[in-house]
Amino acid sequence: MAKPTLRHKASPCLAHALRFLTGSFLVFLLLWTLPSFLTPSINPATNLDSSNTKFNCIDPPSDASSSLNSQSHPSLPYDPPDITFYDDPKLSYSIEKRIEKWDEKRRHWLKRHPSFATGAGERVLLLSASQPAPCPNPIGDHLLLRFFKNKVDYCRIHGYDIFYNNALLHPEMFSYWAKLPVVRAAMIAHPEAEWIWWVDSDALFTDMEFKLPLDRYKNHNFVAHGWAHLIYDRKSWTALNAGVFLIRNCQWSMDFMDVWASMGPQTPNYEKWGQVLKSTIPDKQFPESDDQTGLVYLLYKEKEKWGDKIYLEGEYYFEGYWAEIVGTFDNITERYTEMEREAGELRRRHAEKVSEQYGAFREKYLRDAGSGKGGWRRPFITHFTGCQPCSGNHNQMYSGSSCWDGMLKALNFADNQVLRKYGFRHLDALNLSVSELPYDYPA
């Protein structure tokens, strides 16, 4: 038998190698192409995270509702072609045109926009406004800008939407009455919002961590800072303040505002209402009908109709009088600094987006701080009523310097709470300059 040559020995090995390589290539090809069979291609119309997202309003994706309903955040690009109250040509945003069945219309809209359903009961829209023209006071526009920045900061930290208006939505509803047309229009423009929160342009947040205790107001439709005994026992026009209020986006509120606005300057009975309010509320100081006295009047005269749904908040500074607050800022700052020296969890640097968690951490250190007058907790909202930052025509019971210095101090007090997240703080209460904070401040 002939001895096998090297060539004959190599041939079987080569054949095995070729078969192995061929098999490996086929396996690789199968594995490479398999995901394309298992994973469906992405349709741009349903990819809500794409910057090029477009919805065909005539023929929306068939699975849009189910995919949107499972999302944790509202889908801003999606508006189905279904008919809603917006398609009614008789709908008017004007406060002079009555709207009916608003609860039903809101529910219908939310049903057609299921991505807004999650968290709908706590969704808040903050409103504020100023006059259309520039301020007569040389520093008025600068002050209003800082007041507005303060509101934007607060809304950004807590995830609230904000609308700032500088147009007169009703030509005859001027001054303090101008807010009601804005609130009414905002209710219709934002059916996704459960609460509309009006904050006057001369009011600012001085506790950037505090969040509205909405659960406290779950059985009410209107919240204002006030005291019931001053309404029903003394009939005082200062029993509450109408410069800051929270109103639920519902039919009750629509009806309530219709009645409230009926005392305004757009009605033929404006002068008569001034006389009625002046005769009913003894300490009213001027003859014109105004929104705040009108609100007190409705509570006093029509308590059975409206009172059960109105919450007068007096346990904390839902709206605080600046003259009794500004002088406390230094002491409050010292108490909070001392608190943070002892509590490392409050000194920890963190992203601004998670600020609410650190506000929750602080609560256990504030149990004995007290809220409102006499306490050392940061006042929630400080209202510079009577200071008139835009016109400069402040109430003569205050000096101009007390108003302007007070506003600067309050604005810096609030701004330091924001700048802290960015590593800076104002050098002192009346200084616009800032300095960088050291690590682990104020250990």
Side-chain angles (χ1 to χ4, degrees):
M1 180 180 291
K3 187 176 180 179
T5 63
L6 184 61
R7 177 184 175 89
H8 292 141
K9 288 183 178 180
S11 295
C13 293
L14 182 61
H16 285 306
L18 288 172
R19 284 195 295 272
F20 174 79
L21 290 172
T22 302
S24 298
F25 175 75
L26 290 174
V27 170
F28 171 77
L29 187 64
L30 178 62
L31 291 174
W32 185 67
T33 57
L34 187 59
S36 65
F37 293 97
L38 297 179
T39 305
S41 60
I42 298 176
N43 184 345
T46 58
N47 182 14
L48 301 179
D49 294 326
S50 170
S51 60
N52 296 321
T53 298
K54 291 183 179 179
F55 282 101
N56 186 337
C57 290
I58 298 176
D59 186 20
S62 59
D63 61 341
S65 295
S66 59
S67 63
L68 291 173
N69 197 35
S70 65
Q71 294 196 15
S72 59
H73 298 289
S75 173
L76 302 183
Y78 177 67
D79 190 22
D82 308 54
I83 299 297
T84 69
F85 65 87
Y86 286 116
D87 298 294
D88 181 1
K90 296 181 180 179
L91 174 74
S92 174
Y93 292 79
S94 172
I95 197 166
E96 290 190 291
K97 302 294 178 63
R98 179 172 171 78
I99 189 167
E100 297 179 345
K101 299 182 179 179
W102 179 238
D103 295 339
E104 178 183 332
K105 290 170 181 176
R106 272 194 71 213
R107 279 194 297 269
H108 181 266
W109 188 92
L110 286 168
K111 185 176 181 181
R112 296 298 181 272
H113 298 78
S115 71
F116 287 91
T118 302
E122 296 187 351
R123 190 166 292 121
V124 176
L125 172 68
L126 189 143
L127 303 179
S128 192
S130 58
Q131 76 300 321
C135 290
N137 183 4
I139 62 171
D141 288 311
H142 170 72
L143 289 172
L144 290 187
L145 176 62
R146 290 203 64 189
F147 275 97
F148 174 56
K149 176 194 177 296
N150 168 267
K151 296 175 178 69
V152 171
D153 285 339
Y154 183 84
C155 289
R156 183 183 66 252
I157 290 169
H158 294 282
Y160 295 152
D161 287 332
I162 183 171
F163 172 64
Y164 193 91
N165 179 60
N166 65 345
L168 197 59
L169 299 191
H170 193 294
E172 296 178 32
M173 296 187 77
F174 46 81
S175 188
Y176 24 73
W177 288 105
K179 68 186 73 168
L180 296 189
V182 181
V183 173
R184 161 64 182 269
M187 286 182 169
I188 299 174
H190 289 272
E192 82 287 354
E194 180 69 11
W195 292 100
I196 305 297
W197 190 7
W198 176 268
V199 181
D200 272 0
S201 60
D202 58 354
L204 73 149
F205 295 95
T206 40
D207 187 348
M208 305 302 283
E209 291 178 337
F210 188 84
K211 192 168 185 178
L212 282 171
L214 292 177
D215 190 60
R216 181 185 299 190
Y217 313 132
K218 62 184 178 182
N219 296 321
H220 297 83
N221 296 331
F222 189 93
V223 182
H225 193 234
W227 302 270
H229 72 279
L230 293 181
I231 294 175
Y232 302 113
D233 298 338
R234 294 177 55 183
K235 294 185 288 184
S236 173
W237 84 286
T238 59
L240 54 78
N241 188 283
V244 178
F245 62 81
L246 192 65
I247 187 166
R248 193 183 296 275
N249 194 357
C250 65
Q251 184 64 50
W252 181 97
S253 300
M254 292 285 188
D255 296 340
F256 180 71
M257 284 202 303
D258 285 345
V259 176
W260 192 9
S262 68
M263 306 177 188
Q266 82 287 0
T267 69
N269 296 321
Y270 178 56
E271 291 186 6
K272 180 181 177 181
W273 269 115
Q275 297 169 5
V276 170
L277 296 180
K278 188 78 168 61
S279 63
T280 307
I281 311 299
D283 63 350
K284 179 174 169 55
Q285 298 177 350
F286 44 91
E288 295 84 11
S289 172
D290 67 284
D291 63 327
Q292 182 165 303
T293 311
L295 189 54
V296 172
Y297 178 89
L298 287 176
L299 275 169
Y300 179 72
K301 285 291 190 178
E302 301 184 14
K303 179 182 178 182
E304 292 184 1
K305 184 175 183 180
W306 309 109
D308 288 345
K309 292 297 181 180
I310 296 178
Y311 193 105
L312 294 176
E313 181 60 82
E315 294 186 21
Y316 67 93
Y317 278 122
F318 182 79
E319 177 275 339
Y321 178 41
W322 69 274
E324 70 181 34
I325 289 176
V326 170
T328 68
F329 285 148
D330 290 340
N331 178 57
I332 292 173
T333 299
E334 290 176 6
R335 298 294 294 266
Y336 273 66
T337 301
E338 181 183 347
M339 179 198 310
E340 292 173 6
R341 284 197 186 102
E342 298 175 358
E345 63 180 345
L346 299 179
R347 297 195 305 270
R348 185 188 178 197
R349 290 176 176 176
H350 56 271
E352 187 183 58
K353 280 291 186 182
V354 295
S355 295
E356 284 191 353
Q357 175 177 314
Y358 291 83
F361 286 163
R362 194 184 298 276
E363 285 300 314
K364 62 185 177 184
Y365 301 99
L366 293 169
R367 288 171 185 161
D368 299 324
S371 297
K373 193 173 183 179
W376 57 269
R377 182 179 188 132
R378 290 168 179 160
F380 184 35
I381 293 179
T382 302
H383 190 188
F384 283 84
T385 178
C387 278
Q388 302 295 330
C390 185
S391 69
N393 298 323
H394 58 83
N395 190 311
Q396 293 305 305
M397 66 183 295
Y398 317 120
S399 67
S401 60
S402 67
C403 279
W404 316 139
D405 289 350
M407 283 186 266
L408 181 57
K409 196 169 187 178
L411 287 163
N412 282 355
F413 178 82
D415 204 31
N416 274 340
Q417 298 170 47
V418 178
L419 289 175
R420 174 77 175 269
K421 310 297 188 298
Y422 295 81
F424 291 84
R425 70 188 296 267
H426 289 281
L427 293 173
D428 61 63
L430 295 176
N431 198 322
L432 295 178
S433 300
V434 299
S435 61
E436 187 175 3
L437 291 172
Y439 178 75
D440 205 29
Y441 175 85

